């Protein structure tokens, strides 16, 4: 059985030249050989003028030898010591020359390197930037990003107007499908969540009102809470999670497969085909889902009020009807509309903004869902404040 | 060879000489890429085996096959790189997982491999930030990261402009000359086939078997089968 000869390096001096003799078997699997003994020879006094490599005794070699040679090459270049590679195998010499060549790039690629952003160029030239500069870049980026968002918002509004005026009818968008996806297919989730929210609210308020001897007020409190806030907010969270993810994924996939470019080439405005039908569908489905969720929420409250609290069903319904004013119902409907629009805008924005890489769709979905949920909660707070201001 | 129970090729029997560039050519749907997958140990053939220096690829156990696969380097069609890794990481991962090198050493070797492909300065770029030609060269660097004996290239010139295609051809020839590796090439790019291949095999989609074998120039000028001559002359023969 043949045993591979161990890698060996010996350094000697021949007048002005240092001579490095290499032998044995060089394999990546055995690790990389350090060049300390060679650099030590280069720093001898007096320093050598040249370094000669002799690989006559090398039995087998792979990239590990080329890495070793490249390190020696770099050490010699730093110290301006000439390197004589004539004693190397022809192939190793070629690989060393290739490894130390300048980048061999096509014209477009050369331009790409030159076309680095100002920030990249400064980082390359001056190293890590101070925090003040980072804040400055963040501010610039935020303003540019805000511009992109406003542009998207404006394009979407115009596109929705065109759609509502019937000017995009010949496009034959999948509006009925989007409406079904936003409305009918979301009903089961909303039903479950609505009933549960109503029931939980009734249970919690009962616990507190019993201490005051005011349990009949359960119906009133549950009804107002569901109609004005909880029903709409719950619908907002449901559509932000379910439809925000679905819309962002659909649009991001279309971007990844260059369908966006194809639409533009066909003369179709992507906003007319991809964004507006989805936003309008959500704007219609949002209030309808709120009505559905409110109904189920009230039924949940009734169920707990009758079974757990022991209130007569007739009395509970009468007390609920007493607070069923248009004001409370309108508040919920407006919120439903707003949450639908916010989700459609956010999901469409991140879907369109995604890239063409394998992870782009995942990125778009993640950003869209988080931004849609945050958007729903913040817009809920804002609308509630406005209602308080206008006394709705 | 079969796909979904339908036979694609049968009765294939050929040898590839060490150190050669061997081209697998044929018309669309003839199973060229599938043959490469069988040869590279990625997909088991419906029947038959592939032998490397007499050692069976598909007759052995999975660990034996894994050991053999370490001798292979593969360039997939379209130069598939992991989009979440930089070019350097794409090359270095194989080194980190299959050698005793430290992470830093693996990065150094990976940078050297990229430099050999003419990609110095591109180490920290992501695949989405570079052109198709650079992605292919980075994929070549990854394929050769462990200094494999045998390289499989699936249509390396596809989607490239003629100059980039020529550059990739030069790199492949350089790889053969500097490493002595055996290269199995699937391609339908005629200039690349004539520039690179020492030997070629023609797979026929209708007859579902190989119908010609030899140097591409000889096949073009003297092959008795008119279909092979037509293929290699773009229908002019």
């Amino acid at each position: 059985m043949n045993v591979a000869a161990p890698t060996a390096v010996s350094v000697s001096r021949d007048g002005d030249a240092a001579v490095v003799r290499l032998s044995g078997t060089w394999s990546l699997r055995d690790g990389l050989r350090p060049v300390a003994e060679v650099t030590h020879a280069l720093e001898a006094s007096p320093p050598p003028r040249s370094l000669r490599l002799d690989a006559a005794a090398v039995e087998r070699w792979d990239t590990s030898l080329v890495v070793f040679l490249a390190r020696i090459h770099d050490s010699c270049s730093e110290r301006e010591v000439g390197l004589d590679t004539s004693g190397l195998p022809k192939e190793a010499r070629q690989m060393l020359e290739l490894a130390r060549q300048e980048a061999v790039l096509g014209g477009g690629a050369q331009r790409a390197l030159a076309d680095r952003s100002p920030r990249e160029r400064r980082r390359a030239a001056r190293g890590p930037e101070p925090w003040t500069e980072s804040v400055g870049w963040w501010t610039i980026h935020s303003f540019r990003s805000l511009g992109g968002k406003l542009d998207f918002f404006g394009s979407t509004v115009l596109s929705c107007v065109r759609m509502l005026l019937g000017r995009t009818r010949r496009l034959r968008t999948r509006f009925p499908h989007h409406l079904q996806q936003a409305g009918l297919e979301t009903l089961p989730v909303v039903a479950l969540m609505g009933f549960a929210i109503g029931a939980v609210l009734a249970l919690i308020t009962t616990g507190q009102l019993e201490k005051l001897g005011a349990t009949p007020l359960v119906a009133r409190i549950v009804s107002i809470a569901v109609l004005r806030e909880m029903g709409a907010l719950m619908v907002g969270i449901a559509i932000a999670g379910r439809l925000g993810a679905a819309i962002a994924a659909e649009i991001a996939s279309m971007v990844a497969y260059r369908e966006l470019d194809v639409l533009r080439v066909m003369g179709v405005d992507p906003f007319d085909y991809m964004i507006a039908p989805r936003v309008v569908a959500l704007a219609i489905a949002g209030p309808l889902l709120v009505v559905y969720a409110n109904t189920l929420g009230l039924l949940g409250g009734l169920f707990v009020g009758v079974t757990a609290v022991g209130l007569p069903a007739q009395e509970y319904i009468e007390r609920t009807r007493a607070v069923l004013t248009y004001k409370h119902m309108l508040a919920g409907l407006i919120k439903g509309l707003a949450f639908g629009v916010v989700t459609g805008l956010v999901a469409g924005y991140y879907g369109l903004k995604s890239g063409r890489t394998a992870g782009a769709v995942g990125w778009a979905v993640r950003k869209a869902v988080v931004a849609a949920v945050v958007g729903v909660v913040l817009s809920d707070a804002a609308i509630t404040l406005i209602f308080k201001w206008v006394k709705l | 060879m079969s796909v979904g129970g339908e036979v694609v090729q049968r009765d294939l029997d050929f040898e590839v000489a060490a150190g050669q560039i061997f081209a697998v050519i044929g018309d669309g749907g003839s199973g060229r890429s599938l043959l490469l997958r069988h040869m590279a140990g990625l997909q088991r053939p419906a029947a038959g085996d592939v032998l490397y220096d007499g050692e069976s690829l598909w007759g052995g156990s999975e660990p034996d096959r894994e050991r053999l696969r370490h001798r292979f380097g593969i360039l997939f069609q379209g130069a598939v790189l992991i989009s979440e890794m930089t070019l350097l990481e794409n090359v270095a991962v194989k080194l980190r997982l299959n050698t005793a090198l430290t992470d830093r050493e693996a990065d150094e070797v990976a940078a050297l491999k990229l430099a050999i492909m003419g990609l110095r300065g591109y180490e920290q770029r992501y695949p989405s930030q570079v052109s198709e030609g650079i992605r292919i060269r980075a994929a070549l660097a990854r394929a050769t990261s462990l200094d494999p004996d045998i390289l499989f290239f699936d249509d390396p010139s596809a989607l490239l402009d003629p100059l980039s295609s020529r550059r990739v051809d030069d790199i492949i020839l350089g790889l053969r000359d500097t490493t002595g590796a055996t290269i199995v090439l699937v391609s339908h790019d005629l200039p690349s086939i004539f520039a690179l291949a020492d030997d070629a095999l023609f797979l026929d989609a209708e007859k579902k078997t190989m119908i010609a074998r030899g140097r591409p120039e000889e096949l073009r000028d003297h092959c008795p089968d008119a279909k092979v001559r037509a293929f290699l002359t773009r229908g002019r023969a």
Side-chain angles (χ1 to χ4, degrees), chain A residues 186-221:
Chain A
T186 315
L187 287 180
V189 179
V190 169
L192 188 66
M193 289 173 74
F195 191 85
I197 287 283
V200 168
L201 270 176
L203 276 176
I204 291 171
T205 48
T206 301
Q208 299 303 313
L209 292 173
E210 269 177 348
K211 294 173 189 167
L212 303 170
T215 43
L217 286 175
V218 168
R220 189 178 174 83
I221 292 173

Side-chain angles (χ1 to χ4, degrees), chain A residues 117-129:
Chain A
S117 69
R119 191 179 189 184
E120 281 179 317
R121 283 205 295 274
R122 279 182 210 190
R123 270 183 181 162
R126 295 191 297 189
E129 60 203 12

Side-chain angles (χ1 to χ4, degrees), chain A residues 28-33 61-64 66-67 70-71 74 90-92 94-95 98-110 112-113 116 120 357-359, chain B residues 70-71 83-84 95 98-101 105-106 108-109 112-122 125 128-129 131 134 137 144-147 167 174-175 177-179:
Chain A
L28 267 184
R29 293 180 202 283
D30 300 332
L32 298 179
R33 174 103 192 182
W61 59 273
D62 64 10
T63 303
S64 62
V66 186
V67 172
R71 285 173 171 178
D74 295 345
K90 188 182 98 191
E91 296 80 7
Q94 283 174 347
M95 287 184 99
L98 286 170
R100 286 299 169 254
Q101 68 187 333
E102 287 308 309
V104 183
L105 306 166
Q110 292 282 20
L113 267 187
R116 285 177 178 181
E120 281 179 317
T357 58
Chain B
H70 279 153
R71 294 177 57 190
S83 60
E84 292 175 359
L95 289 157
N98 294 289
T99 65
L101 300 178
E105 287 174 336
E108 187 182 350
V109 176
L112 182 112
K113 291 287 181 185
L114 287 170
I116 287 173
M117 297 298 163
L119 295 179
R120 272 180 103 173
Y122 269 66
R125 296 254 157 178
S128 59
Q129 297 174 312
S131 68
I134 290 174
R137 280 193 270 165
T144 58
S145 58
L146 284 177
D147 295 320
R167 202 171 288 129
L175 276 175
D177 293 343
T178 52
T179 65

Side-chain angles (χ1 to χ4, degrees), chain B residues 158-192:
Chain B
L159 305 174
L160 289 185
D161 64 82
L163 281 179
S164 300
S165 176
R166 166 77 192 274
R167 202 171 288 129
V168 169
D169 289 351
D170 289 344
I171 288 173
I172 292 173
L173 281 173
L175 276 175
R176 196 268 305 271
D177 293 343
T178 52
T179 65
T182 306
I183 295 173
V184 178
L185 170 77
V186 166
S187 180
H188 56 240
D189 181 33
L190 290 181
S192 289

